[in-house]
Amino acid sequence: MSYTIVQYNSTKYNTQIKFPNNQFVIGKTSGNIVYSKAAQIVAGSAFRTQIKSGGSQYVLLGSARNTIVSGGRQIIPNVNYNAVVGGKKAAEQLVIGGTTYSDTIKKNGSQIIAIGNSDSTVVSSGGVQIIKKGTQKQYYTELKQAITRLGGSFNFNGSNKATLHLSLNGIKYKLWYYYRYYTLNCSINLNAQCSYKSKSSFSLTGKFSITLSYRGRSITANGSMKLNNRSYSIRASYQGNTILNESGSFSGASVTGISAVANSTTVLAGGKQIISAGKSFDTDNRGKQIIVNRGISYSTINRKKGQISISNGGVAKHSILFGKQIVQSKGTAQKTHVSSGGVEVVKRGGVASQSIVSSGGRQVVSNGGKSIEVVIKNGGVVSSLDGATIKNLTVSSGGQAKLISGNILGTTTIASGGRLDILGKNIKINKISAKSGSIISFKLSSSTPKAQNNFSLHKSRTYNGTYMVTVAKTQSIGSYKLSTNVQLTNKTDFSIFMGSKLQGAFSLADNYLDSNGRRYSIIQKNNNVYINLKTKYGAAVFASEKNETLSGTTDSDIFYTGRNSCTVQGSNGRDVVVYDTRWGNDLIKGTHGTITLLFTNVKQKNIVSSLRGSTMTITKKNDSSQKITVENWNEKTHNIVFSSGMSAFKEYVNTAEPSSDLKTAMRKEVWKNTGLSAS
């Protein structure tokens, strides 16, 4: 294998480097092209080199700038600037022992930080930056390839010792990390051995001879060199006189392989950063950041649509989220700030500690996930799903915790203006420290009281804040258990909402609240707190003539039009319109509550219903004159029920002056047949 030397103080422009030739750069090059199987080995300065598919560039001692790696490899044990890696074919930049600045990793390109540092890399769509801890063997393997291409030999025993033999004419030589011009024309013979005692301690010792040629005279100097950790000393003598005596310290990544660092990387949409046993600082992520295998990310800003995945021993610290972060399977996130639009998802095996969830941010803890010491600030939301664990939860003013299930350990602190939502069943909370003005909210199941929403405290606690209870328009009548081991006082307030609309408020001392056709009351029994819902009767509104408009009250009314053609206008309650065997041509207008059409002694098969848009039309088969039109039909708030019998109702209709007992019997019969009373 042959090589061409670009000498010191010379420049080579626009050279094509093709196999079996290689190029060893001591001076300067610009615009050179390296083709398949060929290599450019840089100990000087290389500018705008193009690395084609299968070609290689080793930045061994000097520096490279503006390299275009469009299909081959760039290996950096030293310093590199402004490379562009990627293209139509796979391209790789390997930083092993060096530092690279301001690179762009494009589609099909990869930047691997094994030993050393990268700074201000931009990872575009389809590109990837991988930060993973390298090894001594990996370092020496790459170095050996470069030395072998120069005709030298390099032996590594695979453990902790390496021996280098190199003899070249006309080169400037840099001893490992120490950079020094000796002379323009010289011959160097070096025999060195490197040993490692620990991850942070190594020594390099050896002897060398330099044959100098100057103005036709040749002299040979013998010397020794020694490197310990980050200090060096080099001495040489000729005829008993010291001609070289250098010592000092050097900088750069240690060849022990304990450091792989990426600083200020920008990952664009579609790009990827993988941190495995390495470190990243101040990444700006719009693509995907993956942290595994003892990799650590510090102070990543995760932009909207960006995603961070932490698992298998990975750690993220001080991330700021406007996008999504997933913590799972032995991954850890510490002191994350979840901001507007951001979400932190903690899955099985993942742990999030000391997260701050602020306005517009969310944290979701699912089955097997853990969140420790999370603080929910104004506008932030934390959700606990089935099988989740949250410990030492703090809900600040304006913050909201949504508990669907899970165990809430430690102390749950709710500040004045903070809100704890109980959305599931049998949620266990160890201890609550709730300030006056705090809110514990319940959203009742809209099916049956048996599907209860409740939570229990480990020990009995007194609560003086507000219980907020949200019900549906179609809420089933009955008793719902809210809590266990919570002692209420006469200062405990209750606010009742239907959806987002406040129905009213009352204290425990007030006993009950009547609103929109319901009566709400609180029962404390056997250390449990229940809310009881009953239908609040309004009026029996019966038509006495044709074309009447029947208007109800704000409570739960019963309408009957008979055979008259009437307009029925409900209000906010649980209203019922009763039809027997015959009726006229009725119009039922919209309601803010619910409407049930109760057909008695009419078989369902004899009814024809048709929905067009939001208008429901109901007729009898073979008799279109008996027509009911319902405006603003809604499957959630409107219902059709068929029944038989209804003796009390019939008696009430046929009695000129019904007694109060008959009215009560009629009401109970209608409500029972429509499900508006407890069974």
Side-chain angles (χ1 to χ4, degrees):
M1 190 176 293
S2 63
Y3 59 89
T4 300
I5 298 177
V6 181
Q7 299 285 358
Y8 179 63
N9 276 347
S10 66
T11 303
K12 197 76 171 178
Y13 295 97
N14 304 323
T15 301
Q16 294 188 354
I17 307 167
K18 297 184 177 181
F19 183 81
N21 292 320
N22 301 285
Q23 185 183 67
F24 184 41
V25 182
I26 300 171
K28 298 180 181 180
T29 66
S30 178
N32 291 359
I33 303 174
V34 184
Y35 290 93
S36 179
K37 298 182 181 181
Q40 181 189 60
I41 300 173
V42 181
S45 175
F47 180 65
R48 294 184 65 183
T49 301
Q50 294 185 49
I51 314 297
K52 298 292 187 179
S53 180
S56 301
Q57 181 191 60
Y58 294 84
V59 187
L60 186 62
L61 301 175
S63 65
R65 294 176 182 268
N66 300 89
T67 302
I68 299 173
V69 189
S70 59
R73 297 181 78 214
Q74 182 188 47
I75 300 93
I76 307 170
N78 210 52
V79 183
N80 176 73
Y81 301 89
N82 305 319
V84 177
V85 183
K88 294 182 179 180
K89 296 184 179 180
E92 177 183 285
Q93 180 192 71
L94 174 63
V95 180
I96 183 157
T99 303
T100 186
Y101 300 90
S102 304
D103 297 321
T104 299
I105 314 301
K106 303 175 74 173
K107 184 178 181 181
N108 295 321
S110 61
Q111 181 188 63
I112 302 173
I113 317 298
I115 306 170
N117 301 272
S118 75
D119 195 285
S120 304
T121 297
V122 175
V123 184
S124 301
S125 179
V128 60
Q129 180 189 61
I130 302 172
I131 306 134
K132 62 180 183 180
K133 179 181 176 182
T135 64
Q136 298 167 25
K137 183 177 180 180
Q138 185 182 8
Y139 178 83
Y140 289 131
T141 298
E142 295 294 342
L143 193 59
K144 180 180 179 180
Q145 290 184 18
I147 299 302
T148 301
R149 286 176 182 270
L150 293 176
S153 65
F154 188 97
N155 299 311
F156 177 57
N157 68 3
S159 177
N160 61 2
K161 293 183 179 180
T163 303
L164 168 66
H165 298 276
L166 178 61
S167 178
L168 292 172
N169 292 322
I171 68 169
K172 63 178 183 178
Y173 187 76
K174 176 188 173 186
L175 187 62
W176 295 91
Y177 285 93
Y178 175 64
Y179 194 84
R180 173 78 178 179
Y181 298 116
Y182 290 101
T183 183
L184 287 179
N185 300 300
C186 68
S187 174
I188 300 175
N189 292 285
L190 170 67
N191 191 315
Q193 190 171 72
C194 186
S195 64
Y196 291 81
K197 298 177 181 179
S198 67
K199 286 185 175 180
S200 59
S201 177
F202 71 92
S203 64
L204 180 66
T205 59
K207 295 181 179 180
F208 61 90
S209 64
I210 306 176
T211 300
L212 305 174
S213 178
Y214 180 70
R215 292 184 178 180
R217 296 181 60 189
S218 295
I219 62 173
T220 299
N222 296 311
S224 64
M225 52 83 185
K226 184 176 182 180
L227 283 77
N228 285 309
N229 298 331
R230 294 185 180 274
S231 64
Y232 66 88
S233 64
I234 305 173
R235 293 177 174 83
S237 61
Y238 174 68
Q239 294 183 349
N241 297 313
T242 299
I243 62 172
L244 178 65
N245 188 356
E246 295 278 353
S247 63
S249 62
F250 61 93
S251 62
S254 166
V255 296
T256 56
I258 61 171
S259 177
V261 178
N263 295 300
S264 304
T265 299
T266 299
V267 184
L268 301 180
K272 187 184 295 184
Q273 181 187 57
I274 301 173
I275 308 166
S276 175
K279 297 177 182 179
S280 76
F281 293 87
D282 303 317
T283 297
D284 190 331
N285 180 47
R286 292 170 171 82
K288 182 174 285 188
Q289 183 186 63
I290 300 171
I291 311 168
V292 293
N293 190 29
R294 302 185 311 281
I296 304 176
S297 165
Y298 295 89
S299 304
T300 293
I301 297 178
N302 194 40
R303 304 291 183 180
K304 185 178 180 181
K305 296 185 179 180
Q307 181 170 311
I308 301 174
S309 175
I310 313 163
S311 63
N312 298 321
V315 179
K317 297 183 178 183
H318 302 283
S319 298
I320 299 174
L321 303 185
F322 299 97
K324 189 174 186 179
Q325 175 171 278
I326 300 174
V327 190
Q328 60 188 336
S329 204
K330 298 183 180 180
T332 303
Q334 300 174 4
K335 296 185 178 181
T336 302
H337 190 165
V338 189
S339 194
S340 178
V343 57
E344 181 178 49
V345 180
V346 188
K347 295 185 176 182
R348 177 175 294 278
V351 177
S353 64
Q354 297 179 292
S355 296
I356 296 175
V357 185
S358 61
S359 181
R362 293 185 298 131
Q363 183 189 68
V364 180
V365 188
S366 62
N367 187 14
K370 293 182 180 180
S371 178
I372 301 171
E373 297 182 356
V374 58
V375 176
I376 313 172
K377 294 195 172 183
N378 184 33
V381 176
V382 170
S383 299
S384 168
L385 306 182
D386 186 33
T389 298
I390 298 179
K391 185 176 181 180
N392 295 336
L393 168 67
T394 298
V395 187
S396 302
S397 179
Q400 184 178 13
K402 296 183 177 182
L403 307 183
I404 297 174
S405 187
N407 291 320
I408 314 302
L409 307 177
T411 299
T412 298
T413 303
I414 314 174
S416 178
R419 174 171 161 175
L420 185 70
D421 283 5
I422 308 298
L423 303 175
K425 297 188 295 180
N426 302 318
I427 298 167
K428 296 180 180 179
I429 302 177
N430 182 61
K431 179 182 178 181
I432 283 182
S433 175
K435 304 296 183 181
S436 178
S438 62
I439 298 171
I440 298 179
S441 170
F442 304 85
K443 184 177 181 180
L444 301 188
S445 166
S446 60
S447 53
T448 65
K450 292 182 180 179
Q452 301 171 81
N453 299 69
N454 64 84
F455 78 98
S456 62
L457 292 179
H458 178 64
K459 293 182 179 179
S460 182
R461 300 284 171 180
T462 300
Y463 180 66
N464 291 325
T466 297
Y467 268 21
M468 190 177 87
V469 182
T470 300
V471 301
K473 287 184 178 181
T474 56
Q475 194 72 50
S476 297
I477 302 303
S479 292
Y480 296 80
K481 185 168 70 173
L482 300 181
S483 60
T484 300
N485 289 333
V486 180
Q487 300 294 319
L488 305 182
T489 70
N490 285 340
K491 295 181 180 180
T492 306
D493 293 324
F494 291 84
S495 296
I496 309 299
F497 284 79
M498 186 176 293
S500 60
K501 187 176 181 180
L502 177 65
Q503 303 298 292
F506 65 104
S507 68
L508 190 64
D510 296 330
N511 197 23
Y512 66 85
L513 168 71
D514 287 339
S515 177
N516 293 329
R518 294 182 181 87
R519 171 164 288 184
Y520 305 91
S521 59
I522 301 299
I523 301 170
Q524 290 197 86
K525 183 179 180 181
N526 297 329
N527 212 25
N528 297 320
V529 178
Y530 299 85
I531 184 168
N532 192 45
L533 275 65
K534 292 184 178 180
T535 305
K536 177 68 168 55
Y537 179 62
V541 186
F542 285 32
S544 58
E545 58 186 36
K546 290 183 178 295
N547 301 321
E548 264 192 280
T549 296
L550 308 181
S551 298
T553 68
T554 57
D555 290 323
S556 299
D557 303 311
I558 299 173
F559 296 93
Y560 178 67
T561 63
R563 298 181 183 179
N564 301 298
S565 297
C566 298
T567 298
V568 177
Q569 179 67 67
S571 184
N572 294 322
R574 309 293 298 274
D575 297 332
V576 180
V577 185
V578 183
Y579 290 97
D580 57 13
T581 55
R582 293 187 61 82
W583 57 87
N585 194 338
D586 287 350
L587 172 63
I588 301 176
K589 289 186 172 291
T591 177
H592 295 294
T594 68
I595 289 181
T596 300
L597 277 60
L598 174 60
F599 290 90
T600 176
N601 299 317
V602 179
K603 293 183 179 181
Q604 185 173 358
K605 66 180 182 179
N606 293 327
I607 293 293
V608 177
S609 60
S610 175
L611 180 63
R612 290 188 177 182
S614 61
T615 300
M616 174 68 78
T617 302
I618 302 170
T619 60
K620 262 192 175 182
K621 280 186 178 180
N622 304 321
D623 188 359
S624 59
S625 64
Q626 299 187 57
K627 181 180 178 182
I628 304 167
T629 302
V630 185
E631 294 180 348
N632 299 319
W633 180 273
N634 187 324
E635 295 291 341
K636 294 181 179 180
T637 58
H638 291 67
N639 194 21
I640 299 175
V641 176
F642 295 89
S643 179
S644 60
M646 300 281 289
S647 58
F649 179 81
K650 287 184 178 180
E651 184 178 353
Y652 183 88
V653 171
N654 294 319
T655 301
E657 296 183 3
S659 65
S660 59
D661 289 343
L662 181 56
K663 178 185 285 188
T664 300
M666 179 273 297
R667 170 173 53 83
K668 288 184 176 180
E669 187 177 63
V670 170
W671 282 355
K672 181 179 179 180
N673 280 277
T674 53
L676 295 179
S677 63
S679 58

